[in-house]
Amino acid sequence: MISLKALARKDIVALEPYSSARSTAGAEGVLLDANENPFPQRAGGVALNRYPDPFARVLRQRLAEYSGVGAGNVIVGNGSDELIDVALKVFCVNGDNVVAPVPTYPMYSVAAAILGVGFKPVQLRPDFSVDVDSVLLAVDARSRMIFLCSPNNPVGSVVPEAVVRRIAVESRLPVLVDEAYFEFCSKTSVKLVEELGNVIVLRTLSKAWGLAGLRLGYAIAAPEAIGLFDKVKAPYNVSAATQSLALKALAGEAR
């Protein structure tokens, strides 16, 4: 097992995160120190005058059931793009770099550049498969993460589990497997999350679920990594409306 906590920035591991009014109290009840509007304001059946559960506990549990993992293995974000940004903040500082086979989803390089993190592209083979040896050779002393998109956006190729496993084991870096299009192929690396420890799987409700406007993404990772992501994410990153509508979608009520 490779510990993601050991690979994270030491200052993030030691960070005392911001504690919002509902971080310990949950989403129910009246908290005077939150300065919430006491008068009900509703839209689409969702109460909007109170802050939502900052950890989206019910939604995490439902997504965990859908994914076949424990609730402690899941975190939700304002789209999977937020979780890409959070992952970079947890593991990288200015001057570090990340590695990814290309062509691929451009947000990996954009999010990295915003943080002053370099992006090392490795060309896919002519058949769009990942050149594992070249990916591993691209890793240097400042490499902090490897991105794999499966099925790949834009070429559609699937990264086999054996490839993910070899890259994760031999690089010993956090390997983020973006499975935004997972439902179209049902090939996943989720079991490697527990088996290896350093694999993070990213998913979304934007594609197969047809809910791009909802902006709901989620990551599946070791609980110690989820704890670090919770430190870095914004306090109320997923709104009450999004949590409610996502739960309805997962229950088959809003498809």
Side-chain angles (χ1 to χ4, degrees):
M1 287 284 291
I2 301 171
S3 169
L4 284 173
K5 188 174 183 179
L7 297 173
R9 290 167 44 188
K10 303 309 178 191
D11 54 338
I12 296 297
V13 173
L15 178 69
E16 187 67 34
Y18 171 75
S19 181
S20 61
R22 295 198 177 275
S23 293
T24 55
E28 303 299 326
V30 176
L31 301 177
L32 296 181
D33 61 333
N35 294 312
E36 297 167 327
N37 177 8
F39 303 106
Q41 305 289 322
R42 306 185 73 85
V46 181
L48 301 179
N49 57 307
R50 304 291 182 190
Y51 286 104
D53 177 359
F55 300 113
R57 294 171 178 88
V58 177
L59 180 54
R60 288 191 193 195
Q61 178 63 49
R62 183 64 189 89
L63 287 167
E65 293 167 1
Y66 172 72
S67 304
V69 299
N73 293 108
V74 175
I75 185 172
V76 295
N78 182 15
S80 55
D81 293 325
E82 180 194 14
L83 298 172
I84 292 169
D85 179 68
V86 167
L88 287 165
K89 289 175 178 175
V90 167
F91 297 107
C92 306
V93 296
N94 188 296
D96 287 338
N97 68 69
V98 297
V99 178
V102 296
T104 194
Y105 184 40
M107 271 306 296
Y108 309 144
S109 59
V110 172
I114 290 169
L115 297 174
V117 174
F119 182 80
K120 300 186 72 174
V122 177
Q123 195 66 39
L124 291 170
R125 293 192 178 104
D127 64 355
F128 300 135
S129 63
V130 174
D131 185 337
V132 178
D133 290 334
S134 294
V135 168
L136 293 171
L137 284 171
V139 173
D140 62 29
R142 294 303 300 268
S143 298
R144 295 292 180 265
M145 190 183 308
I146 297 173
F147 287 92
L148 298 173
C149 192
S150 181
N152 191 2
N153 172 9
V155 301
S157 55
V158 174
V159 182
E161 182 185 288
V163 169
V164 179
R165 180 184 282 105
R166 184 183 165 199
I167 290 173
V169 169
E170 295 190 25
S171 72
R172 303 192 67 82
L173 293 176
V175 176
L176 192 152
V177 185
D178 189 343
E179 294 185 352
Y181 294 90
F182 153 73
E183 284 89 352
F184 293 100
C185 73
S186 298
K187 304 292 185 182
T188 179
S189 293
V190 161
K191 81 172 193 178
L192 299 181
V193 169
E194 182 175 3
E195 179 184 331
L196 302 180
N198 61 326
V199 173
I200 301 166
V201 170
L202 208 59
R203 291 185 180 170
T204 182
L205 298 193
S206 293
K207 308 304 181 185
W209 290 86
L211 298 171
L214 196 61
R215 305 310 303 132
L216 195 286
Y218 61 105
I220 303 166
E224 63 177 9
I226 298 299
L228 295 175
F229 278 39
D230 272 325
K231 286 188 175 188
V232 172
K233 76 171 185 66
Y236 297 105
N237 60 324
V238 177
S239 73
T242 295
Q243 291 184 41
S244 175
L245 290 171
L247 285 166
K248 288 181 179 179
L250 290 163
E253 300 173 9
R255 295 294 297 274

